[in-house]
Amino acid sequence: MNFYPGPSKLFPSVEQHLQDAYQSGILSRNHRSAAFSSMLEKCIELLYQKLVIPTDYTIVFCSSATECWEIIVQSFTQEQSLHIYNGAFGKKWKEYTHNISDKTIDFSFPFQEKLSLNSLPNQNSIDLVCLTQNETSNGTQLSNELIGSIQQKYDSSLVAVDATSSMGGIYLDFEKADIWFSSVQKCFGLPSGLAIMALSPKAVQRGKDIGDNLYYNSFTKLYNNAVKHQTTYTPNILGIYLLYRQLEERKEIQYYDQLLKERMESWKEFLKNNSTFSPLESNALSDTVVTIQYKQSLSIVEQAEQEGIILGKGYGEWKESTFRIANFPALNTEEIKTLKLFLTKLS
Ligand SMILES: *Cc1c(COP(=O)(O)O)cnc(C)c1O
């Protein structure tokens, strides 16, 4: 059982889809062939439909969320990028950006608190705002509403959102930001090596105006190929195929949104009545990653592994006093019950 917050459990149908991919011959087709390009087109169609992405947004594929961090600094900012974060992934994004452009502005806030709009900086030079919707390292999140008010506050900038550990799990209001990205090994329950990026018309225009064309993954190259349902380089065809097949079978995002929120409520209830564990103390708890604090060092992650249950360790200074579990759609009720039983026995 794998509760690690990514890569996490795969959807069971992946096994059949892997076989189908082999049988269908799609894996040996050229990425400019009609066979590939029509599969890519269908996959993108389904993304719009199943994730409720506005149809005027452009969807492109790349290899990882980390690659998206680099594409965004290379292709979408000329002035200053503002990085608003409360944990390790937001910080890493800032560092990757800073390695390429030294004009980053850092705004970190405590994860215990909801981000307050009034405290954010006002520089006119900010042309890109970087947000981590779900901070996987500590299990906190930004709401759709808050992301929307940040977009309003910085209305001449682009707002980019890392939704790696929430896209495909909860409802995201894509209208409320310009660039969204995720990789598929978290809420999509698929093998790693593929990332999805969705761009608003405003982002596409900015990308064209900036016209960055220096890198193999520059936005203009991604875009010029995407309009032809192609990709710049031979992509992860297997990954795109598996995503396509899963999306076909997937229910609407509202279904998973409700399911995960109910499960999260039940986790909170479980932790509230527990003498050994408590939920992370924060006013902005995530719907897709549970961070659990425990009173004494119990080496829970190791003990769980002996029982065949994979958990995520805590991050940074919380490494010893917390552990993390995924609340992703591929996990089933039976597995969650087993984990709760294991935790009950420990306490
Ligand atoms: C997992 C994760 C990443 C990194 O994803 P890769 O696909 O490994 O690059 C980035 N941001 C967040 C919030 C994540 O959870």
Side-chain angles (χ1 to χ4, degrees):
M1 266 179 286
N2 192 349
F3 285 90
Y4 195 87
S8 190
K9 189 196 172 192
L10 302 179
F11 268 105
S13 56
V14 170
E15 188 175 1
Q16 182 62 49
H17 297 163
L18 277 166
Q19 261 184 37
D20 294 349
Y22 181 87
Q23 298 275 333
S24 73
I26 189 76
L27 302 181
S28 356
R29 297 305 300 272
N30 181 284
H31 67 293
R32 312 232 174 263
S33 67
F36 170 75
S37 123
S38 104
M39 191 271 287
L40 179 85
E41 188 178 358
K42 281 189 270 185
C43 183
I44 287 176
E45 260 327 91
L46 285 162
L47 278 170
Y48 285 120
Q49 212 181 307
K50 296 287 167 88
L51 300 186
V52 203
I53 299 175
T55 49
D56 60 352
Y57 276 46
T58 299
I59 297 176
V60 297
F61 290 116
C62 37
S63 307
S64 66
T66 306
E67 189 189 9
C68 295
W69 293 340
E70 287 208 344
I71 293 171
I72 291 168
V73 53
Q74 285 163 189
S75 296
F76 293 100
T77 173
Q78 285 181 309
E79 301 214 36
Q80 289 199 288
S81 59
L82 167 65
H83 296 259
I84 302 171
Y85 62 89
N86 72 2
F89 283 100
K91 183 160 184 262
K92 246 198 235 174
W93 185 359
K94 191 255 329 199
E95 287 162 357
Y96 271 83
T97 306
H98 194 76
N99 287 340
I100 292 174
S101 144
D102 56 7
K103 296 180 280 187
T104 53
I105 306 174
D106 208 22
F107 184 89
S108 64
F109 63 100
F111 68 75
Q112 291 87 348
E113 292 162 25
K114 265 204 179 103
L115 173 65
S116 138
L117 270 189
N118 296 332
S119 56
L120 295 174
N122 279 318
Q123 277 102 310
N124 285 329
S125 54
I126 295 168
D127 63 353
L128 174 72
V129 180
C130 300
L131 305 174
T132 304
Q133 192 278 324
N134 194 67
E135 181 47 78
T136 322
S137 70
N138 57 29
T140 63
Q141 69 175 342
L142 305 175
S143 67
N144 283 317
E145 291 66 36
L146 186 54
I147 293 173
S149 30
I150 293 171
Q151 188 189 40
Q152 275 173 3
K153 180 176 169 79
Y154 297 98
D155 59 355
S156 61
S157 315
L158 296 178
V159 176
V161 184
D162 180 341
T164 303
S165 53
S166 54
M167 192 188 288
I170 59 167
Y171 170 74
L172 299 169
D173 188 349
F174 287 87
E175 296 278 4
K176 294 200 157 49
D178 301 292
I179 304 173
W180 295 82
F181 59 92
S182 173
S183 39
V184 299
Q185 72 273 21
K186 307 215 172 153
C187 285
F188 288 97
L190 289 169
S192 59
L194 182 71
I196 300 158
M197 193 160 25
L199 304 130
S200 72
K202 180 176 164 188
V204 168
Q205 192 53 52
R206 186 73 56 87
K208 287 180 182 170
D209 291 346
I210 292 176
D212 161 49
N213 204 16
L214 285 177
Y215 310 98
Y216 83 99
N217 57 10
S218 291
F219 169 69
T220 45
K221 292 199 181 83
L222 287 172
Y223 181 79
N224 292 337
N225 282 288
V227 294
K228 295 182 284 184
H229 308 298
Q230 292 185 1
T231 55
T232 312
Y233 52 90
T234 316
N236 181 349
I237 298 178
L238 176 58
I240 296 170
Y241 178 85
L242 293 176
L243 176 62
Y244 152 60
R245 290 295 306 275
Q246 183 196 110
L247 287 168
E248 274 190 323
E249 290 177 359
R250 249 181 184 255
K251 298 191 171 72
E252 303 307 314
I253 192 64
Q254 285 82 359
Y255 168 84
Y256 298 106
D257 184 88
Q258 200 186 335
L259 177 74
L260 299 190
K261 282 175 181 160
E262 281 167 13
R263 286 179 175 174
M264 194 49 93
E265 278 316 305
S266 122
W267 272 116
K268 283 179 193 163
E269 202 54 37
F270 174 82
L271 294 168
K272 207 167 67 185
N273 302 322
N274 199 290
S275 55
T276 314
F277 305 110
S278 56
L280 187 75
E281 279 152 50
S282 167
N283 291 322
L285 289 180
S286 159
D287 290 319
T288 53
V289 176
V290 201
T291 299
I292 299 176
Q293 284 180 287
Y294 46 106
K295 306 209 164 64
Q296 68 270 62
S297 187
L298 287 170
S299 59
I300 286 165
V301 176
E302 291 73 13
Q303 288 188 53
E305 189 133 13
Q306 282 171 8
E307 305 263 326
I309 304 173
I310 301 169
L311 303 175
K313 279 209 163 86
Y315 240 82
E317 57 177 301
W318 297 84
K319 203 170 192 143
E320 300 306 323
S321 57
T322 64
F323 63 100
R324 295 170 305 137
I325 55 182
N327 182 33
F328 294 165
L331 290 157
N332 66 39
T333 320
E334 224 25 65
E335 290 163 323
I336 296 168
K337 231 197 241 166
T338 309
L339 176 55
K340 283 182 178 166
L341 198 66
F342 166 76
L343 294 175
T344 307
K345 278 194 277 179
L346 282 182
S347 53

